[in-house]
Amino acid sequence: MPRTTTVECPGCPPLRALTFDTLGLIKVVEARDKQQGGVPKIVERWGNPDSSKSVMAVSMIDRQSQPLMAVARKNGQIEIMSPVNGDLQASISNGNGSELQSEENNIAGLHLFAKQNLEVASRSCTLLTCTTKGSASIRSIEVTDSTTESSCNDSSKTWNVCAGGNILCCKVDTSEKFALFGGKGVEVNVWDLDNCTKIWNAKSPPKNSLGIFTPTWFTSATFLRKDDHQKFVAGTNNHQVRLYDISAQRRHVLSFDFRETPIKALDVDIDGYSIYIGNGSGDMASIDIRTGKLLGCYIGKCSGSIRSIVRHPELPVIASCGLDSYLRIWDAKTRQLLSSVFLKQPLMHVLFDSSFVIEENPSGAVSLPSKEENMNIIREEAEASSLKRKKSYKNKENINGDERKKKSKRSEEGRKTRGNDGEEKIASKDKGSKSTSKKRNKSSKFEIPDEGL
């Protein structure tokens, strides 16, 4: 049974993410209103399901104007798309021969150069690709609006980054002048992209206490800081995380184990020293790479291998996806699961669109009042309500005064009626007493005295 836990999801802030799966589908997930729960939903789906178009690597130029996205597929095709609407801008093949397009030589590394593509009017972009056999190339591609295959310029550079083994990870630093490569049987090495020369190569670790040598097998790597290409972190297949400093030594300066399954995904925080790692059993954690101390694991188990972890460049959230077909949004500070979306297909990569902004006043909608207008409205309503209360109080007082007057009149009338009734009763009593006295006097005339008898 998959290891899962049921947790309450408080919802995530407004964001936009793009997911890439094993069937070549690209799905756009958006979370818009946090007041309604902040639940992300699928708003768009690009492409048709095809296992031969499985996404192997992705890269995106995340900017406000004219953003671009490169997608490398299993069949050797590289597509340049718009991450806003999914329009295809260019499509090229990674090689002319069948050997370069075979499944054993897929594209392992892909990067779109953002700083070399500042001139949008030139309608071209620079792309770095690297296959699993170690064939790396930098070429300029003409961006067109048609779906036909685009052409490459003659100023392409091609070189080999390894003599043997398979390249599994490739990363370009922020300055876009250096790149690191590593893989199965390939120690991590750093190259100068301007001259296409190797400037540093790692040395394999020594044998352990039992005399056993662990073969080299790197699965993921990333640079630590934006302004420093000399420090980077790499994850291995034997559940190790290693920190390298090319200015200090050729071997790693720090190494620690995480659980018991291979490290599959790795990303660095914007602070430059906290990293996020995910392994093949669905475990995910954040670690302080300066000391190797575990900061904490993320609440809510994933039931499949994690294949991609991405930190949002602005919001304090991270996204993870994997073979369990779930996109999960986490809080980077509390490590709590904010929300999750089931996307049906096993996921390989996820990217954030940091330029996503919710339109407060879309076209055709009624403009909402500003904060000052809201405060004025609230004050006017409060004043109106106070006036209403005063008027109602006065009306109540008037009504109460009228009722009191009516009651006093009624009481006075009642008193008068009671007084008249009493006088009539007294008069009737006096009349009755007089009549009785007269009767008594009349009867006394006819009485015979006792003395005469």
Side-chain angles (χ1 to χ4, degrees), residues 3 239 257-261 279 281 283-284 294 297 301:
R3 297 185 300 169
H239 57 86
D257 295 339
F258 178 71
R259 303 296 170 89
E260 297 178 354
T261 52
N279 61 9
S281 59
D283 299 316
M284 190 172 166
L294 180 68
C297 295
K301 284 283 185 179

Side-chain angles (χ1 to χ4, degrees), residues 300-315:
K301 284 283 185 179
C302 303
S303 57
S305 175
I306 298 174
R307 295 305 175 94
S308 180
I309 298 175
V310 177
R311 171 68 158 84
H312 197 283
E314 297 177 0
L315 300 175

Side-chain angles (χ1 to χ4, degrees), residues 351-372:
L351 293 175
F352 274 123
D353 185 4
S354 63
S355 302
F356 173 68
V357 178
I358 298 176
E359 295 181 359
E360 296 181 357
N361 298 325
S363 59
V366 180
S367 60
L368 297 176
S370 61
K371 292 183 179 180
E372 295 180 356

Side-chain angles (χ1 to χ4, degrees), residues 134-176:
S135 177
S137 64
I138 297 176
R139 46 191 152 179
S140 181
I141 303 170
E142 294 182 359
V143 178
T144 59
D145 296 332
S146 61
T147 58
T148 58
E149 187 168 322
S150 302
S151 61
C152 300
N153 296 336
D154 297 334
S155 60
S156 61
K157 303 177 184 178
T158 304
W159 73 97
N160 200 346
V161 297
C162 66
N166 294 326
I167 298 294
L168 298 178
C169 56
C170 170
K171 194 71 175 180
V172 179
D173 72 330
T174 308
S175 64
E176 296 183 339

